[in-house]
Amino acid sequence: MTAAPRMALQYVLLFGATGVSLPFAGLWMRAQGLSGAEIGTLLAAPMLARIVTGPLLAVWADGFRYRRTPIALMGLVMAAGYGVAGLSDLYAVRALGWFVGATAMGVLVPLTDVMTLRLAARLGFSFSLPRGAGSAAFVVANIGMGALLLHGPVDGVIVWLVAASLGLAAVAAFALPAEPVADGAVVAGLERFRGLGRLVADPVFMTAIFAIGAVQAAHAFQYGFSAILWKTQGISEAVTGQLWAFGVIVEIALMWLFEPWRRRVGIGPWSLLMIGSAAAVLRWSAMALAPPLWLLWPLQALHALTFAATFLAGLQIVERLSPPDSHTAAQTLSSMLSAGVLIGLATAASGPLYDRFGAGGYWAMAAMAVAGLIAAVPLRRKLAG
């Protein structure tokens, strides 16, 4: 088996887990008797902590000989964390377990992305192909869990997360290519921290990851409370899974069909980021009006732009604006901001917003998208296209 399908298998297991966690974690927590504010806190804590855990785990991961080793270890940590969250009835223990599991899941995404980007550049395959396979697994997980929850217990969410975590740990350890972290000797820990410091001190780089992060973080209300909101509108768990799946199917089409065409015709990452930002403003403004089911389908289709286009643009922008020996640190910093600090703050705010305004909480997400759009405008001077 070549490197591309091996990485695709890793993405399938990783996004098979997130495909359950993102849409249905809120339902599982609600079934445990938690309020909207408590759910928001539980979901936000590991995201906010990434301002510390993100850089520390990035530096830790770069200390290994092979990139697959920290991926395998984080898979085991993820399984242990979610397992503890599911087995305990105590809020504090459940919160700690969820924190550990979600922190491991969060760092697995940039670690896997960096490894795939390196292999794709060296071996000549398209990054979007294995990444798109992960998106396909996200769809299957959405639909599968939605169907299971119609007749089965909501604890199936936790069982699924633990099983997927163990699977991806095994694949990382025994199937992923032995891609070295560094071309030469492993860089000392102190020097890796200095590399992080240089990135943080670069105003253009930090503006770029803020713009990317603000648009991505604007998904927070959707991730945490869409399933709960739709259930109050009489939309079943099965249809919720189908709505999520539809958005990701369009995302896959963008990655597998549009992305190669975009590269051929020369549409650059800045243009892609602007398109994604504008689509996010439109999507969340419409969602704030609690649209009927028929309108949710085209709004979910915008996920291809609000998430996938912004994600692909972000990967390329971060790679262009960072030196080669700091790509792992740069991608992790970007992930830390978008999937950590910003989305953590947005998720923490989403709980009280849901409790007070219901679907009106989406207006705050639209405002975040506007902030990302404004921040992206001056980047055109540094990025061609």
Side-chain angles (χ1 to χ4, degrees), residues 211 215 268-281 305 309-310 313 317 369 372-380 385:
V215 179
W270 179 83
S271 299
L272 199 58
L273 178 59
M274 294 298 289
I275 292 168
S277 303
V281 176
L305 298 178
T310 306
I317 289 170
L373 181 66
I374 293 171
V377 171
L379 295 175
R380 187 174 187 178

Side-chain angles (χ1 to χ4, degrees), residues 141-241:
N142 291 162
I143 296 173
M145 183 53 65
L148 287 173
L149 291 179
L150 282 176
H151 307 289
V154 74
D155 286 336
V157 170
I158 292 294
V159 174
W160 189 304
L161 290 175
V162 172
S165 304
L166 293 173
L168 70 87
V171 168
F174 301 111
L176 292 192
E179 176 71 9
V181 170
D183 295 329
V186 175
V187 179
L190 183 59
E191 183 56 34
R192 297 200 301 273
F193 273 110
R194 290 195 183 107
L196 279 173
R198 287 190 289 270
L199 290 169
V200 172
D202 183 345
V204 175
F205 178 81
M206 294 304 293
T207 299
I209 66 172
F210 171 79
I212 297 159
V215 179
Q216 293 286 20
H219 292 78
F221 198 85
Q222 173 85 350
Y223 291 163
F225 294 96
S226 61
I228 300 172
L229 276 167
W230 292 340
K231 190 169 185 176
T232 63
Q233 290 178 240
I235 297 171
S236 71
E237 289 89 341
V239 176
T240 293

